[in-house]
Amino acid sequence: FIVAQKSSLISMGPSLETAINRLNELSRDSNRRGGSSLDKAPIQFHGFKDIIVFLPNGMFTALFRPLPGDVNNLFGIGASLEGLLMLGLFLRACNRTSLRELKDPFIAFILLFILSWAFVYAFNAQNMGTIMRWRLPIFPVFLGLLLYLGRHREREKLPAA
């Protein structure tokens, strides 16, 4: 179902207005389903700028949410602790990683893979239950990247002068 929606969005042709209308429709429809939907109004895109402005929030939601306070039931608490752990690992990886390490082709590929996934799912991330299920296939790759980039590294010792 989701793949059909995503492929219909891609195959619409060059019309940006048609694509924006389809994104608005997907956003409105996905926000109505389920008991764990986010309590916010459906997102309305009026142009390419609105999509660019929305992407960081949507990608954050797809990768890290639910966070504590988003879903108030037993499964929601467990999911929010997972989101909090992933966010903490992400911040640790950001702190410990140099730009030189990101030039490694394998790391660059994995990073591009995760960002591409987050870009696609950012527009449908309106229900916490579906976010958790959609994130399952990417979770081991994302966790492995965060653990690898956040590892402890020995500092290079300067020769004694």
Side-chain angles (χ1 to χ4, degrees):
F1 173 72
I2 298 301
V3 173
Q5 286 182 342
K6 302 261 185 252
S7 65
S8 69
L9 177 65
I10 293 169
S11 66
M12 285 184 175
S15 173
L16 181 61
E17 184 176 332
T18 306
I20 289 172
N21 289 338
R22 183 68 177 139
L23 277 175
N24 286 332
E25 185 179 312
L26 286 172
S27 170
R28 189 173 47 252
D29 289 345
S30 67
N31 200 25
R32 282 190 238 158
R33 295 185 211 128
S36 60
S37 62
L38 295 173
D39 294 329
K40 63 181 183 178
I43 301 137
Q44 293 292 316
F45 299 108
H46 301 290
F48 189 68
K49 180 184 174 202
D50 292 338
I51 294 171
I52 298 300
V53 169
F54 169 75
L55 271 176
N57 186 25
M59 290 172 79
F60 177 84
T61 298
L63 289 171
F64 299 109
R65 288 185 72 190
L67 293 172
D70 284 338
V71 181
N72 295 320
N73 60 36
L74 186 59
F75 292 111
I77 292 169
S80 66
L81 291 176
E82 176 187 305
L84 202 56
L85 173 71
M86 294 299 284
L87 185 58
L89 289 174
F90 175 77
L91 294 173
R92 185 177 86 167
C94 287
N95 188 34
R96 291 184 176 181
T97 304
S98 68
L99 290 177
R100 183 179 48 137
E101 288 179 279
L102 298 179
K103 292 180 182 178
D104 178 344
F106 184 70
I107 299 299
F109 170 76
I110 297 296
L111 193 59
L112 182 64
F113 178 67
I114 292 168
L115 291 175
S116 299
W117 178 90
F119 176 82
V120 170
Y121 284 96
F123 298 104
N124 274 335
Q126 302 297 321
N127 184 297
M128 293 300 156
T130 56
I131 290 171
M132 291 300 298
R133 287 188 295 276
W134 290 341
R135 192 171 40 221
L136 278 175
I138 197 94
F139 183 80
V141 176
F142 190 39
L143 180 63
L145 179 69
L146 294 179
L147 290 173
Y148 177 76
L149 293 177
R151 73 192 184 283
H152 179 72
R153 296 164 184 85
E154 294 294 326
R155 293 181 182 238
E156 293 179 21
K157 294 181 181 180
L158 297 174

